[in-house]
Amino acid sequence: MFINPALTEPFGLTLLEAAASGLPLVATENGGPVDIIGNCQNGVLVDPLDKSAIAEALLSILDNDEYWRTLSANGLANVVRHYSWEAHAQAYLQKVPPLLQHFDRLPKTPLVATTGRLRSQAIFTALDNTLLGDDEGLAQFVSLIRKKRKKCLFGIATGRRLDSVLAIFKKHRIPVPDILITSLGTEVYFTPQLIADIAWSYHIDHLWTPQVLRRVLGTLPGLTPQPKREQSRFKISYYYDSELAPPMEEILTLLRQKELSVNPTLSFGQFLDIVPARASKGQALRYVARQWDIPLERILATGGSGGDSDMVAGNTLGVVVANRHREELSNLSDMEQVYFAEHSNAWGILEAIEHYDFFHL
């Protein structure tokens, strides 16, 4: 026999190998084994946390030779019928033609300004505890951006909503960026008209089920919904109390068990944001980079907390400014193209520009 008592199993390749070997299965009722045993009719599904149910399932097969032979034969026959390469190709060919007969066109992304196409570099930075925090450093950074604006695209990537970001620009006299990535990568805006990128919204909406997500997380202790002004269509935000709430590993396990297609982020040790799996600051930045034809190696991406991780990592020139929350990005310290600045806030960004000799690349 073959037993898979995992808490959850995304698919279950080992179950297919066991079926092809003629072994009956006892497997977790969470995830891929449901479909595999449903198709192959060669085993029993069990609650992986119920020891008695597991023992009963094993004995029901081992103590009954005829039942064992039936399950074994079913597995040998049906694994070929449903999971061979030939079966997979045939299923694909059957599903594709109907899809080609009718489809909805995605809305067109707003045209990128002609002047944007002439820029060969870009700087994207987070706001809180990254660009903001020191007025003198901010003034120096703003002055530099104004001088380099003709050759360098300027973008903001933040967890804040658009209205909050615009208020900050006005208060601190920050020039309006060319690109605004807001609500933790779920919204992309083009300036100066602040045109929303509808195609990006369609892209990240895939498998997004906020009602189910709220129902699942609403039962957990230590999670308190943030005010409505911090929520948006594609972002659900909670205050996270580390003394009461489950560890992030347990929350991630729960989300996987419920098969929720989401991207959770804990920032500043107290803000838990859940967005669609296709959304994040980093994914939105790469989407914009493709539109402007700017290589990632010529993009300076700066951050200072967990929500900036996939924006800073990768092929960009990553920067982590000094602050008390940057331990959330400590896993990036061994990456060659991630620079941990000694200075905080805008001073750290300026330090990184000099470190990379950015404007002479």
Side-chain angles (χ1 to χ4, degrees):
M1 290 189 60
F2 181 81
I3 177 171
N4 181 333
L7 291 178
T8 182
E9 179 64 60
F11 177 62
L13 183 60
T14 54
L15 274 69
L16 300 186
E17 294 168 342
S21 302
L23 297 181
L25 310 178
V26 172
T28 177
E29 62 185 5
N30 300 317
V34 176
D35 293 326
I36 293 174
I37 291 180
N39 287 329
C40 293
Q41 297 296 305
N42 66 331
V44 179
L45 295 170
V46 294
D47 179 351
L49 299 178
D50 189 335
K51 296 179 181 179
S52 298
I54 294 174
E56 183 179 342
L58 290 168
L59 292 173
S60 70
I61 299 172
L62 291 173
D63 288 344
N64 188 328
D65 291 344
E66 184 177 352
Y67 187 34
W68 188 98
R69 286 192 292 270
T70 298
L71 295 179
S72 175
N74 287 348
L76 288 168
N78 290 324
V79 75
V80 174
R81 181 176 300 131
H82 293 285
Y83 295 104
S84 67
W85 279 112
E86 182 178 352
H88 174 76
Q90 290 297 328
Y92 177 82
L93 292 174
Q94 291 174 5
K95 293 180 181 297
V96 168
L99 296 176
L100 297 178
Q101 294 175 8
H102 56 84
F103 60 91
D104 297 326
R105 293 186 180 275
L106 289 176
K108 292 183 178 180
T109 297
L111 293 176
V112 177
T114 304
T115 55
R117 291 293 186 187
L118 301 177
R119 304 182 197 183
S120 58
Q121 295 178 290
I123 293 179
F124 280 83
T125 178
L127 280 176
D128 298 288
N129 288 292
T130 304
L131 181 61
L132 303 179
D134 185 288
D135 291 342
E136 185 179 351
L138 178 59
Q140 292 283 345
F141 175 81
V142 167
S143 176
L144 179 62
I145 286 296
R146 292 188 190 277
K147 293 177 183 177
K148 303 294 184 180
R149 200 69 180 267
K150 289 184 178 181
K151 66 169 293 188
C152 182
L153 199 73
F154 175 41
I156 292 292
T158 177
R160 290 178 177 268
R161 287 175 41 154
L162 179 63
D163 52 351
S164 175
V165 175
L166 294 177
I168 285 176
F169 291 163
K170 184 176 181 180
K171 177 181 178 181
H172 294 278
R173 298 181 180 179
I174 300 172
V176 177
D178 302 287
I179 296 293
L180 286 173
I181 296 172
T182 64
S183 294
L184 213 64
T186 62
E187 298 172 0
V188 176
Y189 295 94
F190 301 90
T191 62
Q193 294 88 0
L194 290 176
I195 300 173
D197 192 322
I198 304 301
W200 180 248
S201 298
Y202 271 78
H203 173 69
I204 67 174
D205 196 23
H206 181 67
L207 299 179
W208 175 240
T209 53
Q211 296 86 353
V212 177
L213 180 60
R214 290 190 182 95
R215 192 159 56 244
V216 169
L217 295 182
T219 61
L220 298 181
L223 297 185
T224 305
Q226 293 183 29
K228 287 186 177 181
R229 66 177 180 274
E230 303 298 338
Q231 315 279 353
S232 64
R233 177 185 174 189
F234 293 113
K235 182 169 78 77
I236 298 176
S237 300
Y238 295 89
Y239 293 117
Y240 178 88
D241 186 338
S242 59
E243 295 185 359
L244 300 175
M248 279 300 295
E249 291 77 9
E250 292 185 16
I251 294 178
L252 293 173
T253 298
L254 175 63
L255 295 173
R256 285 195 294 267
Q257 288 176 343
K258 298 298 182 180
E259 298 184 352
L260 291 168
S261 185
V262 297
N263 180 14
T265 302
L266 181 64
S267 300
F268 306 117
Q270 58 180 327
F271 302 121
L272 176 62
D273 297 299
I274 316 289
V275 300
R278 293 181 174 184
S280 68
K281 290 183 181 181
Q283 293 181 84
L285 182 153
R286 284 156 179 78
Y287 170 77
V288 170
R290 285 195 299 270
Q291 291 187 322
W292 258 269
D293 294 326
I294 299 177
L296 293 178
E297 295 81 4
R298 297 179 66 85
I299 296 178
L300 190 80
T302 72
S305 68
D308 305 319
S309 179
D310 74 332
M311 178 176 72
V312 172
N315 293 333
T316 59
L317 299 176
V319 183
V320 179
V321 300
N323 65 45
R324 64 189 179 92
H325 296 287
R326 77 172 183 178
E327 67 271 9
E328 296 175 4
L329 298 173
S330 59
N331 61 310
L332 307 180
S333 60
D334 293 331
M335 298 185 66
E336 182 178 351
Q337 286 194 191
V338 177
Y339 177 68
F340 278 69
E342 295 182 5
H343 294 85
S344 60
N345 311 118
W347 289 117
I349 304 175
L350 294 169
E351 175 189 335
I353 290 173
E354 183 177 350
H355 168 79
Y356 286 117
D357 197 16
F358 181 67
F359 290 115
H360 295 95
L361 292 176

Short mmCIF file of all heavy atoms in Angstrom, two decimals, residues 56-83:
data_model
loop_
_atom_site.label_atom_id
_atom_site.label_comp_id
_atom_site.label_asym_id
_atom_site.label_seq_id
_atom_site.Cartn_x
_atom_site.Cartn_y
_atom_site.Cartn_z
N GLU A 56 -8.04 2.72 10.42
CA GLU A 56 -9.21 1.98 9.91
C GLU A 56 -9.15 1.82 8.39
O GLU A 56 -9.45 0.76 7.84
CB GLU A 56 -10.49 2.71 10.32
CG GLU A 56 -11.77 2.00 9.91
CD GLU A 56 -13.01 2.74 10.36
OE1 GLU A 56 -12.88 3.60 11.26
OE2 GLU A 56 -14.09 2.47 9.82
N ALA A 57 -8.73 2.90 7.70
CA ALA A 57 -8.64 2.84 6.23
C ALA A 57 -7.59 1.83 5.80
O ALA A 57 -7.80 1.04 4.86
CB ALA A 57 -8.32 4.23 5.68
N LEU A 58 -6.43 1.83 6.47
CA LEU A 58 -5.36 0.89 6.13
C LEU A 58 -5.81 -0.56 6.32
O LEU A 58 -5.63 -1.41 5.46
CB LEU A 58 -4.13 1.18 6.97
CG LEU A 58 -3.37 2.49 6.67
CD1 LEU A 58 -2.36 2.77 7.77
CD2 LEU A 58 -2.67 2.37 5.33
N LEU A 59 -6.42 -0.81 7.47
CA LEU A 59 -6.83 -2.19 7.79
C LEU A 59 -7.96 -2.66 6.88
O LEU A 59 -8.03 -3.85 6.53
CB LEU A 59 -7.26 -2.27 9.26
CG LEU A 59 -6.12 -2.09 10.28
CD1 LEU A 59 -6.67 -2.02 11.70
CD2 LEU A 59 -5.11 -3.23 10.15
N SER A 60 -8.85 -1.73 6.47
CA SER A 60 -9.97 -2.14 5.61
C SER A 60 -9.48 -2.67 4.27
O SER A 60 -10.15 -3.50 3.64
CB SER A 60 -10.92 -0.95 5.38
OG SER A 60 -10.30 0.04 4.56
N ILE A 61 -8.31 -2.20 3.84
CA ILE A 61 -7.75 -2.66 2.56
C ILE A 61 -6.86 -3.88 2.78
O ILE A 61 -6.95 -4.88 2.05
CB ILE A 61 -6.96 -1.52 1.89
CG1 ILE A 61 -7.88 -0.34 1.60
CG2 ILE A 61 -6.31 -2.01 0.59
CD1 ILE A 61 -7.16 0.91 1.11
N LEU A 62 -5.99 -3.82 3.80
CA LEU A 62 -5.04 -4.91 4.04
C LEU A 62 -5.73 -6.20 4.47
O LEU A 62 -5.24 -7.30 4.19
CB LEU A 62 -4.04 -4.48 5.11
CG LEU A 62 -3.05 -3.38 4.70
CD1 LEU A 62 -2.23 -2.93 5.90
CD2 LEU A 62 -2.13 -3.88 3.59
N ASP A 63 -6.87 -6.10 5.13
CA ASP A 63 -7.57 -7.30 5.63
C ASP A 63 -8.54 -7.89 4.61
O ASP A 63 -9.22 -8.88 4.90
CB ASP A 63 -8.34 -6.96 6.91
CG ASP A 63 -7.42 -6.74 8.10
OD1 ASP A 63 -6.25 -7.14 7.99
OD2 ASP A 63 -7.87 -6.16 9.11
N ASN A 64 -8.63 -7.29 3.42
CA ASN A 64 -9.60 -7.75 2.42
C ASN A 64 -8.87 -7.91 1.08
O ASN A 64 -8.67 -6.94 0.35
CB ASN A 64 -10.75 -6.75 2.30
CG ASN A 64 -11.88 -7.26 1.43
OD1 ASN A 64 -11.67 -8.02 0.48
ND2 ASN A 64 -13.10 -6.84 1.76
N ASP A 65 -8.46 -9.16 0.77
CA ASP A 65 -7.65 -9.40 -0.44
C ASP A 65 -8.40 -9.00 -1.71
O ASP A 65 -7.79 -8.43 -2.63
CB ASP A 65 -7.26 -10.88 -0.52
CG ASP A 65 -6.26 -11.27 0.56
OD1 ASP A 65 -5.65 -10.33 1.15
OD2 ASP A 65 -6.09 -12.47 0.81
N GLU A 66 -9.68 -9.28 -1.78
CA GLU A 66 -10.44 -8.95 -2.98
C GLU A 66 -10.52 -7.43 -3.17
O GLU A 66 -10.38 -6.91 -4.29
CB GLU A 66 -11.85 -9.53 -2.89
CG GLU A 66 -12.67 -9.30 -4.16
CD GLU A 66 -14.04 -9.96 -4.09
OE1 GLU A 66 -14.30 -10.71 -3.13
OE2 GLU A 66 -14.85 -9.70 -5.00
N TYR A 67 -10.73 -6.70 -2.07
CA TYR A 67 -10.79 -5.23 -2.13
C TYR A 67 -9.45 -4.67 -2.57
O TYR A 67 -9.37 -3.76 -3.39
CB TYR A 67 -11.18 -4.70 -0.75
CG TYR A 67 -11.44 -3.20 -0.67
CD1 TYR A 67 -12.00 -2.51 -1.74
CD2 TYR A 67 -11.12 -2.49 0.49
CE1 TYR A 67 -12.24 -1.15 -1.66
CE2 TYR A 67 -11.36 -1.12 0.57
CZ TYR A 67 -11.92 -0.46 -0.50
OH TYR A 67 -12.16 0.89 -0.42
N TRP A 68 -8.35 -5.25 -2.03
CA TRP A 68 -7.00 -4.81 -2.42
C TRP A 68 -6.78 -4.98 -3.91
O TRP A 68 -6.28 -4.08 -4.59
CB TRP A 68 -5.96 -5.61 -1.63
CG TRP A 68 -4.54 -5.11 -1.81
CD1 TRP A 68 -3.85 -4.30 -0.97
CD2 TRP A 68 -3.65 -5.41 -2.90
NE1 TRP A 68 -2.59 -4.05 -1.46
CE2 TRP A 68 -2.45 -4.72 -2.65
CE3 TRP A 68 -3.77 -6.17 -4.06
CZ2 TRP A 68 -1.36 -4.79 -3.51
CZ3 TRP A 68 -2.68 -6.24 -4.93
CH2 TRP A 68 -1.49 -5.54 -4.66
N ARG A 69 -7.17 -6.18 -4.44
CA ARG A 69 -6.96 -6.46 -5.87
C ARG A 69 -7.80 -5.51 -6.74
O ARG A 69 -7.34 -5.07 -7.80
CB ARG A 69 -7.30 -7.92 -6.18
CG ARG A 69 -6.25 -8.92 -5.68
CD ARG A 69 -6.48 -10.30 -6.26
NE ARG A 69 -7.71 -10.89 -5.74
CZ ARG A 69 -7.77 -11.64 -4.64
NH1 ARG A 69 -6.64 -11.88 -3.95
NH2 ARG A 69 -8.91 -12.14 -4.22
N THR A 70 -9.01 -5.20 -6.29
CA THR A 70 -9.86 -4.28 -7.06
C THR A 70 -9.25 -2.89 -7.13
O THR A 70 -9.17 -2.27 -8.20
CB THR A 70 -11.26 -4.18 -6.42
OG1 THR A 70 -11.88 -5.47 -6.44
CG2 THR A 70 -12.14 -3.19 -7.17
N LEU A 71 -8.78 -2.38 -5.99
CA LEU A 71 -8.16 -1.06 -5.97
C LEU A 71 -6.87 -1.04 -6.79
O LEU A 71 -6.59 -0.08 -7.51
CB LEU A 71 -7.86 -0.64 -4.52
CG LEU A 71 -9.06 -0.43 -3.61
CD1 LEU A 71 -8.60 -0.04 -2.20
CD2 LEU A 71 -10.00 0.63 -4.16
N SER A 72 -6.09 -2.10 -6.70
CA SER A 72 -4.84 -2.19 -7.46
C SER A 72 -5.11 -2.16 -8.96
O SER A 72 -4.46 -1.43 -9.71
CB SER A 72 -4.09 -3.47 -7.08
OG SER A 72 -2.94 -3.63 -7.88
N ALA A 73 -6.09 -2.97 -9.39
CA ALA A 73 -6.43 -3.02 -10.82
C ALA A 73 -6.98 -1.68 -11.31
O ALA A 73 -6.65 -1.23 -12.41
CB ALA A 73 -7.44 -4.14 -11.07
N ASN A 74 -7.81 -1.06 -10.48
CA ASN A 74 -8.37 0.25 -10.85
C ASN A 74 -7.24 1.27 -11.05
O ASN A 74 -7.25 2.06 -12.00
CB ASN A 74 -9.31 0.76 -9.77
CG ASN A 74 -10.64 0.02 -9.75
OD1 ASN A 74 -10.94 -0.72 -10.68
ND2 ASN A 74 -11.40 0.21 -8.69
N GLY A 75 -6.27 1.26 -10.13
CA GLY A 75 -5.18 2.21 -10.23
C GLY A 75 -4.35 2.00 -11.48
O GLY A 75 -4.03 2.96 -12.20
N LEU A 76 -4.01 0.75 -11.78
CA LEU A 76 -3.19 0.46 -12.96
C LEU A 76 -3.89 0.90 -14.24
O LEU A 76 -3.25 1.44 -15.16
CB LEU A 76 -2.89 -1.04 -13.01
CG LEU A 76 -1.89 -1.57 -11.98
CD1 LEU A 76 -1.89 -3.08 -11.94
CD2 LEU A 76 -0.49 -1.06 -12.30
N ALA A 77 -5.19 0.68 -14.33
CA ALA A 77 -5.93 1.03 -15.55
C ALA A 77 -6.20 2.53 -15.65
O ALA A 77 -6.00 3.14 -16.71
CB ALA A 77 -7.25 0.25 -15.58
N ASN A 78 -6.63 3.13 -14.55
CA ASN A 78 -7.08 4.52 -14.62
C ASN A 78 -5.96 5.55 -14.60
O ASN A 78 -6.13 6.67 -15.08
CB ASN A 78 -8.06 4.80 -13.48
CG ASN A 78 -9.38 4.08 -13.67
OD1 ASN A 78 -9.86 3.96 -14.80
ND2 ASN A 78 -9.97 3.59 -12.59
N VAL A 79 -4.81 5.20 -14.04
CA VAL A 79 -3.70 6.15 -14.05
C VAL A 79 -3.24 6.39 -15.49
O VAL A 79 -2.83 7.50 -15.86
CB VAL A 79 -2.54 5.68 -13.16
CG1 VAL A 79 -1.75 4.55 -13.80
CG2 VAL A 79 -1.61 6.85 -12.83
N VAL A 80 -3.32 5.34 -16.33
CA VAL A 80 -2.99 5.50 -17.74
C VAL A 80 -4.07 6.28 -18.46
O VAL A 80 -3.80 7.16 -19.29
CB VAL A 80 -2.79 4.12 -18.41
CG1 VAL A 80 -2.58 4.28 -19.91
CG2 VAL A 80 -1.62 3.39 -17.77
N ARG A 81 -5.32 6.01 -18.12
CA ARG A 81 -6.45 6.67 -18.78
C ARG A 81 -6.49 8.16 -18.48
O ARG A 81 -6.81 8.97 -19.35
CB ARG A 81 -7.75 6.01 -18.33
CG ARG A 81 -9.01 6.61 -18.98
CD ARG A 81 -10.25 5.85 -18.57
NE ARG A 81 -10.16 4.46 -18.96
CZ ARG A 81 -10.40 3.42 -18.16
NH1 ARG A 81 -10.74 3.65 -16.89
NH2 ARG A 81 -10.30 2.19 -18.60
N HIS A 82 -6.14 8.56 -17.27
CA HIS A 82 -6.31 9.95 -16.86
C HIS A 82 -5.01 10.74 -16.76
O HIS A 82 -5.03 11.97 -16.87
CB HIS A 82 -7.02 10.02 -15.50
CG HIS A 82 -8.43 9.54 -15.54
ND1 HIS A 82 -9.46 10.27 -16.08
CD2 HIS A 82 -8.98 8.37 -15.10
CE1 HIS A 82 -10.59 9.61 -15.97
NE2 HIS A 82 -10.33 8.44 -15.37
N TYR A 83 -3.86 10.08 -16.53
CA TYR A 83 -2.65 10.84 -16.19
C TYR A 83 -1.43 10.53 -17.05
O TYR A 83 -0.34 11.01 -16.73
CB TYR A 83 -2.30 10.62 -14.71
CG TYR A 83 -3.36 11.16 -13.78
CD1 TYR A 83 -4.25 10.31 -13.13
CD2 TYR A 83 -3.48 12.54 -13.58
CE1 TYR A 83 -5.23 10.82 -12.29
CE2 TYR A 83 -4.45 13.05 -12.74
CZ TYR A 83 -5.33 12.19 -12.09
OH TYR A 83 -6.30 12.70 -11.27
#
